[in-house]
Amino acid sequence: MNASLAPVREVWAQRARARSRTDLLYLLYLAGLTAVVLGLPALIWAGRLLARPDVLALLGREEAVPAVVALALAVAATLVGLGGVRGPALLPPFFTATLASGPLPRGVVLRRPFARALLLPLSAAVLPSALVAATLLAAGKAGPDSATSLVLAGIGLGLLWGGAWCAGQLLRRTGRRLAVLLLGLAAACTALTALLAGGEPREPSGRVAAGPAEGVVGGLSAVPGGAWAAGLVVSGAVVVVLCTTLLGRLRGTELAAQAARWEAATTAASTTDLAGAAGAFRAVPTAARGLAAIGPGPLVLLYARRDAVAWLRTPDRCAGGALGALLGAAALGGAVLLQGPAAWALLVLGALLLRAGAGAFVDGIRHGVHTLGAPPLLGQRAATQLLLHAVAPLLLLAVLGALGGFAAVLVGGGGAGADPVLLPVATAAVVLAARVWEAAKGTMPLSLATPIPTPQGDLSVLVMLAWQADSVIAPLLGAALLLLVLPLGPAALLGAAAATVAVLVLLTRGRLQDLQA
Amino acid sequence: MPSACSPTSPPQRTPEVVVFDRVGVLREGSVLLLEASGVVGAGQTLAVTGPNGSGKTTLLRVLAGLLPPTAGRVRIAGRRPDDRDPAFRAALAALIGPAQTARDLTVLEHLQFVGATWGSGARAAREQGRALLEELRILPLAGRFPHELSSGQTQLVSLALTLSRPSAVLLLDEPEQRLDPDRLALVIEALRARARAGTALVLASHSPLLVEELADQRLELEEPW
């Protein structure tokens, strides 16, 4: 049988709501125009804004290059892991069952979704590299050649990341775990190299001194241009071509499972149920079945032990969560040691990583909320369950926060006292309270969808986005508040953390009451 | 027309554990339950029957305190249904819809955890859990996670979870769902044992066998339209 995609495409193009060729061309024109008219000026503006001594000092440090390599390897490891859950070559369930499981070569069918998905890692790599290039250009630390090389390197890296993502989808569980481990180790070793190369001047406060921008000659600004960037692009292209030829080896069962999961998640997300969408990707337990989750002792211990054993039953997720929380805490500790935009960028990154990591340890809290509205089964009310389920993650996140902060102190060479340790620990408490608040979130109130007509369009979408993002915004604001009060001393820091947690507890109480009503 | 329960055997004088009088539910112009009345004593079983949409589940939800009635009066162990009332919570166990399970606990650990939250020691809760699984002949499922169960097994585990907690009143919504005849006989025996021990049972069912075997009284609900 000589099946071809052409008739399928023809049928698909004849749908009532199909995009015509003109529509597609217009879309491309619009995207190109937006990039030139809005994107480019925004990039130049951001570059000028960031071309300040402290940022340039960071970019110019010797360890900037190994740090970027370590970050790239860590992202690649994450993408390999992600490929096992949601790979880049994926079609909706209907097309997976018809096209990808039909007479057509699977590799040919999956080529287009793979190419589309590549845009994601490409954007994630190109945008930061373009921003660095714009910053160095604005400061006069790099010429157009070097800037172009940086952008080309971003393209190459994006393609390599796409390859890593696809590899994660192609590999079986053991191979995938091994790849993640190897890439993670490579990232850790490279990061260690970067750290050992450190040893920067400090201010009396312990913060890393910005240093004169004029003295910046090394780091990213001194990377030789041309050949290395071209090498990255060629490597990326080869990897992508190789992945494309291997798409036909993707297993049908895996594709069907990923497609069903993705559709469930997107359906939940389209109904503004982002928690449900995230839940579709939560791993089911696979290990430690024999470990006793229930043991003797008071209720606090009963719940804490149950939660801790439950974490071990999804080891990949648990390890990923712990690593995320640890890196987040280290970034928060680093934010104490730095100044200016770099400090705030690390704070945002740290809070987001800590929040993401904490997500792996709050299933007990989520379950406590789910018992609302059902006939009582457990001996404690939902609110009491939440408190009891919060004990184990609080302890774990506090320990991870302290460890991450301590790592930041080690890297920074000391000098800022215990502040780099205190900030992540206090932020961990805020993050956990925000997670509990998030778990108690119900469906979006319809009143938020009321149109807000303005000359610029309907602004109700902003209100809805704010409602959706509140559990992300809360830890960010909390971390920012804590960083601001940190100079006032540990008592002020702990007081601010306690006040923030108290506010979130009150908000959670309100949500629980709403859910019960 | 109001529905009132009718005894299927001579009435016995037992403490009234479940009382509902002229209970009706109206939601956004739709009648979900016409006036229903009944009294169930300790050790008695009330079977609520009627066609789909007649309000059987609605009545159980009202009795469980999950849905406030628009009209009428409800008392469970002498108390108004209210989730915030610890005495009410301690008195009532119910299976209405799928039981809430944790994705990361095995079947036996679920039972053990429920027992422990109600004050049993870990070892005693484990033994009780095993006994319950043995009673429903699903002990081989003890080490499975919820996502590893078939629909019939899930129903049996849900029943086991509901039976694993102490209660004076047991509400069950169509406990016969997805069960084969042998399993249904086991469930009937398990429920009969609870009734003999003094638990008041209210069950909504479409199974003539279940109703025939267990019910002391029957409440036939009519379609509210």
Side-chain angles (χ1 to χ4, degrees):
Chain A
M1 188 172 176
N2 191 16
S4 157
L5 258 183
V8 177
R9 288 196 176 126
E10 197 180 326
V11 171
W12 190 242
Q14 285 168 0
R15 286 171 307 141
R17 299 177 68 184
R19 279 201 191 106
S20 67
R21 190 173 288 270
T22 320
D23 291 340
L24 278 175
L25 284 174
Y26 176 70
L27 207 65
L28 283 174
Y29 164 76
L30 203 65
L33 204 66
T34 308
V36 172
V37 175
L38 292 177
L40 206 57
L43 191 69
I44 292 168
W45 175 78
R48 283 183 187 146
L49 208 66
L50 287 173
R52 37 183 286 165
D54 46 0
V55 175
L56 292 172
L58 277 179
L59 294 178
R61 283 167 64 167
E62 287 303 317
E63 60 268 37
V65 175
V68 168
V69 174
L71 184 68
L73 286 167
V75 172
T78 310
L79 284 170
V80 171
L82 180 68
V85 185
R86 202 287 186 200
L90 200 63
L91 287 161
F94 172 69
F95 295 118
T96 305
T98 51
L99 287 179
S101 304
L104 294 163
R106 185 169 287 164
V108 176
V109 172
L110 293 174
R111 218 175 270 164
R112 194 177 280 197
F114 176 56
R116 263 200 305 263
L118 274 181
L119 287 176
L120 198 67
L122 263 175
S123 313
V126 171
L127 285 177
S129 59
L131 191 60
V132 170
T135 306
L136 294 174
L137 259 179
K141 300 294 170 194
D145 290 352
S146 301
T148 310
S149 296
L150 274 170
V151 176
L152 277 177
I155 293 171
L157 181 62
L159 293 173
L160 285 171
W161 277 350
W165 191 12
C166 187
Q169 193 178 15
L170 281 160
L171 287 168
R172 284 184 179 274
R173 181 181 289 178
T174 312
R176 190 163 52 239
R177 279 181 176 167
L178 196 65
V180 170
L181 192 70
L182 288 175
L183 284 166
L185 275 175
C189 290
T190 319
L192 206 63
T193 316
L195 299 181
L196 292 175
E200 59 295 329
R202 295 188 166 278
E203 291 179 348
S205 66
R207 287 176 182 269
V208 176
E214 290 74 21
V216 174
V217 288
L220 292 175
S221 55
V223 172
W228 64 276
L232 265 178
V233 174
V234 171
S235 311
V238 168
V239 165
V240 166
V241 169
L242 187 68
C243 285
T244 310
T245 59
L246 290 172
L247 288 178
R249 296 179 62 81
L250 281 167
R251 286 169 289 278
T253 48
E254 187 63 29
L255 281 175
Q258 288 201 3
R261 215 181 293 145
W262 181 244
E263 184 162 86
T266 46
T267 306
S270 65
T271 57
T272 72
D273 178 13
L274 291 189
F281 286 100
R282 225 161 273 149
V284 290
T286 53
R289 194 188 295 262
L291 277 182
I294 317 299
L299 275 178
V300 172
L301 201 60
L302 174 76
Y303 275 79
R305 177 175 174 158
R306 171 243 178 276
D307 285 334
V309 172
W311 300 337
L312 299 178
R313 289 179 171 169
T314 48
D316 293 353
R317 182 161 168 255
C318 179
L323 191 64
L326 200 63
L327 290 174
L332 285 168
V336 179
L337 298 169
L338 295 175
Q339 285 179 324
W344 287 105
L346 264 188
L347 185 89
V348 169
L349 180 72
L352 289 178
L353 276 174
L354 193 56
R355 182 194 170 275
F361 306 110
V362 292
D363 278 355
I365 290 167
R366 293 188 184 107
H367 179 245
V369 174
H370 287 165
T371 61
L372 272 172
L377 189 59
L378 304 180
Q380 292 71 42
R381 292 183 58 203
T384 316
Q385 287 179 47
L386 295 195
L387 280 177
L388 290 165
H389 275 304
V391 174
L394 181 63
L395 286 175
L396 180 74
L397 290 176
V399 169
L400 290 172
L403 285 175
F406 189 62
V409 173
L410 282 182
V411 172
D419 286 357
V421 178
L422 283 176
L423 180 70
V425 172
T427 309
V430 174
V431 163
L432 183 65
R435 275 291 187 179
V436 180
W437 183 45
E438 180 186 9
K441 199 173 199 173
T443 49
M444 191 182 76
L446 274 179
S447 56
L448 295 186
T450 310
I452 307 173
T454 69
Q456 285 74 36
D458 182 8
L459 291 188
S460 64
V461 68
L462 295 179
V463 181
M464 290 191 278
L465 278 175
W467 186 87
Q468 286 293 357
D470 57 8
S471 59
V472 180
I473 295 169
L476 287 177
L477 290 179
L481 172 73
L482 296 180
L483 184 66
L484 287 173
V485 300
L486 193 60
L488 301 177
L493 178 79
L494 294 178
T500 313
V501 169
V503 169
L504 287 167
V505 167
L506 283 175
L507 290 170
T508 306
R509 196 171 156 221
R511 280 188 173 173
L512 289 177
Q513 285 168 347
D514 289 346
L515 285 176
Q516 271 174 318
Chain B
M1 179 182 156
S3 309
C5 60
S6 56
T8 55
S9 55
Q12 296 171 348
R13 289 190 64 79
T14 50
E16 294 173 349
V17 188
V18 180
V19 178
F20 54 101
D21 182 28
R22 301 174 72 83
V23 170
V25 178
L26 182 72
R27 283 286 176 276
E28 294 169 7
S30 296
V31 180
L32 303 186
L33 175 67
L34 275 175
E35 290 178 355
S37 302
V39 175
V40 190
Q44 290 186 332
T45 300
L46 168 67
V48 185
T49 56
N52 293 334
S54 57
K56 298 186 296 296
T57 303
T58 302
L59 175 60
L60 292 191
R61 289 177 63 79
V62 169
L63 298 182
L66 302 175
L67 189 67
T70 314
R73 173 178 169 271
V74 180
R75 290 291 180 271
I76 301 290
R79 311 184 79 91
R80 209 156 53 102
D82 185 351
D83 173 59
R84 292 163 299 181
D85 178 2
F88 168 75
R89 287 172 55 83
L92 182 127
L95 178 62
I96 304 170
Q100 294 291 336
T101 53
R103 55 196 286 136
D104 40 27
L105 292 184
T106 64
V107 168
L108 180 57
E109 284 170 353
H110 271 90
L111 300 175
Q112 208 183 347
F113 188 62
V114 171
T117 64
W118 287 100
S120 295
R123 187 172 293 176
R126 188 174 181 82
E127 290 314 311
Q128 288 161 10
R130 290 183 69 87
L132 196 48
L133 294 178
E134 187 61 59
E135 186 181 6
L136 295 175
R137 293 203 197 141
I138 49 172
L139 192 56
L141 304 182
R144 292 206 194 166
F145 291 113
H147 71 275
E148 296 169 336
L149 302 172
S150 72
S151 64
Q153 289 168 340
T154 301
Q155 173 71 355
L156 284 165
V157 168
S158 297
L159 282 164
L161 273 171
T162 312
L163 298 179
S164 68
R165 50 149 296 177
S167 65
V169 179
L170 197 51
L171 305 181
L172 300 171
D173 189 14
E174 299 184 19
E176 73 276 9
Q177 273 183 15
R178 300 184 294 279
L179 298 185
D180 60 46
D182 288 347
R183 301 288 190 193
L184 182 57
L186 282 174
V187 169
I188 289 172
E189 209 43 57
L191 296 180
R192 185 178 285 136
R194 267 64 184 178
R196 280 194 193 126
T199 306
L201 257 69
V202 180
L203 46 94
S205 179
H206 288 292
S207 163
L209 178 66
L210 193 83
V211 174
E212 180 68 27
E213 289 285 331
L214 290 175
D216 301 307
Q217 313 170 63
R218 188 165 165 166
L219 174 62
E220 175 78 19
L221 296 179
E222 295 170 1
E223 284 172 329
W225 57 83

